């Protein structure tokens, strides 16, 4: 078999790297995170590891919702560039999504120290602070993010207890009949946010932005329609953001209650109601 051709027409490896990096960047800019991830990961398979490719892998993974991969890639990138504000901000987002609240706060605070004009860093400072019972400091951080990017980071609005209660009743009425009947005997209670223990209760961490959680363990042998959860907890701090009107809030509560019910019952959405 003839050997592969070589000679002056062979493309220089540095040129190939630059071309692949540019393709990954174009994919990120165009909103195609999957292509960006594929292109950047190819570069990581050829030593030495290219820092810019590592950053693109982290960004693409975060866009695709793989917070664990994004966290790992950002952390590896930061070993070489420990004071890189965009990477610290990205890491804070990934850590928040993996329910590592204290670590997310530290990363976002460092990003804001290095680049105070980064609204996303301030927003994630606020998210972490309000979940560690520091609402006044959180409000200041949210205000800074809002002032820099009001369209992306709107401020929360006040919702009265009466409006919340009405939203729950309207939300229940929006459920399909069998699920509405399922909730007839289940208390629905309000809490501010899920705890860190709540988020790490299962094999994989839940997002701190979870809207609702049931209390109890679904029966393995008994009928789950009869043996219901002890209660369902709705989290006001999450349901109220981004700001919505009364109809939007009740619809969001409908979705939260619906998804907790089908998780308990072990059925698919399409089995009972094709809600999005």
């Amino acid at each position: 078999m003839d050997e592969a051709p070589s000679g002056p027409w062979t493309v220089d490896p540095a040129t190939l790297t630059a071309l692949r990096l540019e393709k990954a960047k174009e994919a990120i800019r165009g909103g195609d995170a999957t292509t960006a991830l594929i292109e950047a990961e190819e570069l990581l398979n050829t030593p030495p590891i290219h820092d810019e490719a590592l950053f693109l892998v982290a960004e693409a993974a975060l866009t695709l919702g793989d917070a664990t991969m994004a966290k790992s890639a950002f952390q590896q990138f930061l070993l070489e560039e420990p004071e890189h504000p965009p990477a610290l901000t990205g890491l804070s987002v990934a850590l928040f999504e993996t329910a590592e609240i204290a670590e997310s706060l530290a990363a976002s605070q460092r990003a804001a120290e290095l680049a105070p004009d980064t609204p996303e860093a301030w927003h994630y400072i606020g998210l972490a602070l309000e979940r560690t019972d520091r609402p006044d400091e959180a409000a200041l951080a949210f205000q800074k993010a809002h002032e820099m990017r009001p369209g992306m980071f709107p401020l929360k609005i006040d919702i009265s207890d009466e409006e919340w209660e009405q939203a729950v009743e309207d939300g229940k009425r929006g459920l399909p009949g069998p699920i509405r009947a399922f909730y007839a005997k289940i208390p629905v209670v309000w809490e501010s946010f899920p705890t860190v223990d709540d988020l790490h209760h299962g094999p994989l961490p839940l997002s701190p932005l979870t809207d609702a959680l049931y209390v109890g363990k679904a029966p393995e042998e008994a009928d789950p329609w009869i043996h219901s959860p002890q209660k369902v907890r709705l989290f006001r701090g999450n349901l109220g953001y981004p700001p919505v009107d009364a109809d939007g809030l009740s619809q969001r509560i409908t979705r939260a209650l619906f998804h907790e019910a089908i998780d308990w019952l072990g059925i698919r959405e399409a089995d009972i109601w094709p809600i999005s």
Side-chain angles (χ1 to χ4, degrees):
M1 181 181 293
D2 294 336
E3 293 183 2
S6 62
W9 52 83
T10 302
V11 179
D12 178 68
T15 301
L16 288 174
T17 295
L19 289 170
R20 197 176 286 279
L21 273 174
E22 186 54 37
K23 188 172 181 180
K25 290 177 187 176
E26 287 178 1
I28 283 284
R29 289 193 292 266
D32 186 357
T34 300
T35 297
L37 185 59
I38 292 169
E39 293 294 334
E41 277 193 315
E42 283 294 323
L43 290 170
L44 299 185
N45 292 328
T46 306
I49 291 178
H50 197 290
D51 287 349
E52 196 168 3
L54 195 57
F55 182 79
L56 288 170
V57 164
E59 278 197 314
L62 198 58
T63 300
L64 292 169
D66 191 338
T68 300
M69 177 187 282
K71 179 182 77 170
S72 178
F74 278 127
Q75 287 173 331
Q76 192 170 347
F77 177 88
L78 286 161
L79 291 176
E80 298 298 324
E81 296 191 48
E83 297 200 337
H84 188 280
L88 284 163
T89 301
L91 178 60
S92 75
V93 178
L95 288 166
F96 185 82
E97 286 300 322
T98 55
E100 298 169 80
I101 307 299
E103 294 83 354
S104 174
L105 177 59
S108 55
Q109 285 177 325
R110 185 58 182 150
E113 288 172 7
L114 294 168
D117 59 345
T118 307
E120 192 170 28
W122 287 108
H123 181 69
Y124 275 84
I125 288 172
L127 289 176
L129 286 171
E130 68 178 357
R131 284 159 180 78
T132 50
D133 201 24
R134 296 157 71 180
D136 293 339
E137 294 172 74
L140 292 174
F142 285 136
Q143 182 65 41
K144 287 187 178 183
H146 175 71
E147 289 171 356
M148 295 178 204
R149 199 76 60 82
M152 184 176 290
F153 301 111
L155 295 176
K156 292 185 177 183
I157 57 176
D158 290 330
I159 303 174
S160 69
D161 290 345
E162 292 77 14
E163 289 172 316
W164 280 110
E165 295 300 335
Q166 185 61 53
V168 172
E169 293 307 310
D170 293 342
K172 287 181 178 179
R173 278 194 289 271
L175 291 165
I179 301 295
R180 193 163 58 249
F182 175 73
Y183 273 107
K185 57 183 181 296
I186 301 172
V188 175
V189 301
W190 292 114
E191 294 182 19
S192 296
F193 300 103
T195 67
V196 172
D197 287 344
D198 291 331
L199 301 174
H200 288 282
H201 183 69
L204 295 175
L206 295 174
S207 169
L209 299 176
T210 297
D211 285 341
L213 288 172
Y214 60 70
V215 176
K217 184 178 180 180
E220 296 180 4
E221 302 295 336
D223 186 347
W225 288 92
I226 297 173
H227 297 272
S228 55
Q230 299 171 32
K231 61 184 175 181
V232 172
R233 301 151 66 203
L234 290 173
F235 302 112
R236 286 173 64 152
N238 290 339
L239 285 161
Y241 191 86
V244 291
D245 59 16
D247 287 341
L249 180 58
S250 64
Q251 290 170 12
R252 190 161 166 182
I253 290 171
T254 297
R255 294 188 188 98
L257 293 175
F258 179 79
H259 287 297
E260 287 305 292
I262 64 171
D263 186 72
W264 176 271
L265 296 167
I267 59 177
R268 300 175 304 158
E269 295 184 22
D271 289 337
I272 193 163
W273 190 33
I275 188 173
S276 60

